[in-house]
Amino acid sequence: MGTAPLPPGQRLAKGWPVSHYGPVPKFRPERWSLQVFGATATGDKYAWSFDELSALPGITIETDLHCASGTTSTDHEFFGIAAGTILDLAPPAPGVTHVMAWAEYGYSANLRLADFTSERTVLATHHGGEPLTVEHGFPLRLVVPHLYGYKGPKWLRAIEYMTADRRGFWEERGYHNIADPWTEQRHSYQEE
Ligand SMILES: Nc1nc2c(c(=O)[nH]1)N[C@H]1C(S)=C(S)[C@@H](COP(=O)(O)O)O[C@H]1N2
Ligand SMILES: [Mo]
């Protein structure tokens, strides 16, 4: 937050910069769903329309966003569905250790299950009381406050439950598999 220290090696961004790879997708509500697939407890797939998702109970969190390239934007208030709520509605099989968060155009980020189920991890629909803007991920983005920004896909479309780890988009391209900003886990070469 405004008075919180920045993680090591980060500088303050001006405002809230937009940062992502590739184009901004169009939202087509009639074709849109959030899916949960992979190693679910029942073997079933789950899907929610945007209206169904919006009817679920939500939480508000405050956080800074730390981009691994070195800028931090501060004082964000996100509202959305706690990741734990999704876990309750779509229980994972006992062997699930990781999830892959999938966005439009195949962007992905892998997370340890504990990072995904962290109390403050949210599938955000709103920022500062307003729907997300399209460049910041409308209609839905994942926010994982305790990890670098690349672990939070904008334009989120699916959660895949996994029984083993697999690297996501940036993790395959030289970024750190865990992404803790407080210990500067930026690069894959830092992994043991
Ligand atoms: N779909 C998608 N989500 C993404 C990215 C991306 O390239 N594609 N980039 C990530 C990175 S590296 C960062 S730092 C944040 C930036 O979020 P912002 O543009 O809202 O500041 O989005 C993350 N989510
Ligand atoms: Mo980033």
Side-chain angles (χ1 to χ4, degrees):
M1 314 323 91
T3 54
L6 297 186
Q10 293 296 108
R11 61 191 181 280
L12 203 57
K14 279 213 180 91
W16 189 10
V18 172
S19 147
H20 58 263
Y21 177 83
V24 172
K26 267 211 182 70
F27 175 50
R28 294 185 181 86
E30 68 289 349
R31 286 208 226 151
W32 191 96
S33 66
L34 177 77
Q35 300 199 9
V36 173
F37 69 99
T40 60
T42 58
D44 293 334
K45 280 188 191 173
Y46 299 78
W48 295 268
S49 70
F50 189 66
D51 286 348
E52 290 168 337
L53 203 70
S54 302
L56 298 176
I59 62 165
T60 299
I61 61 152
E62 286 182 18
T63 188
D64 297 345
L65 288 180
H66 314 295
C67 177
S69 68
T71 53
T72 291
S73 59
T74 58
D75 300 309
H76 299 286
E77 185 200 273
F78 288 103
F79 169 85
I81 298 103
T85 299
I86 297 297
L87 264 283
D88 291 343
L89 295 170
V96 170
T97 56
H98 293 77
V99 308
M100 191 72 82
W102 289 100
E104 302 282 358
Y105 304 133
Y107 182 89
S108 61
N110 58 315
L111 294 160
R112 296 176 295 189
L113 186 60
D115 289 322
F116 184 68
T117 58
S118 158
E119 250 184 8
R120 277 156 41 81
T121 298
V122 62
L123 287 70
T125 54
H126 289 71
H127 180 271
E130 301 287 333
L132 289 169
T133 59
V134 68
E135 64 272 18
H136 286 300
F138 177 83
L140 189 70
R141 86 177 281 170
L142 188 64
V143 178
V144 187
H146 64 286
L147 300 178
Y148 282 126
Y150 61 91
K151 292 294 187 179
K154 305 193 277 193
W155 314 297
L156 185 71
R157 290 296 304 273
I159 301 296
E160 178 185 359
Y161 292 161
M162 307 196 294
T163 54
D165 199 9
R166 210 169 74 225
R167 300 179 83 95
F169 182 86
W170 286 120
E171 295 82 1
E172 276 189 329
R173 289 167 176 78
Y175 283 78
H176 198 285
N177 199 41
I178 305 298
D180 171 20
W182 302 97
T183 56
E184 285 198 75
Q185 295 180 328
R186 296 179 201 270
H187 311 290
S188 53
Y189 63 69
Q190 299 171 290
E191 297 167 21
E192 292 83 349

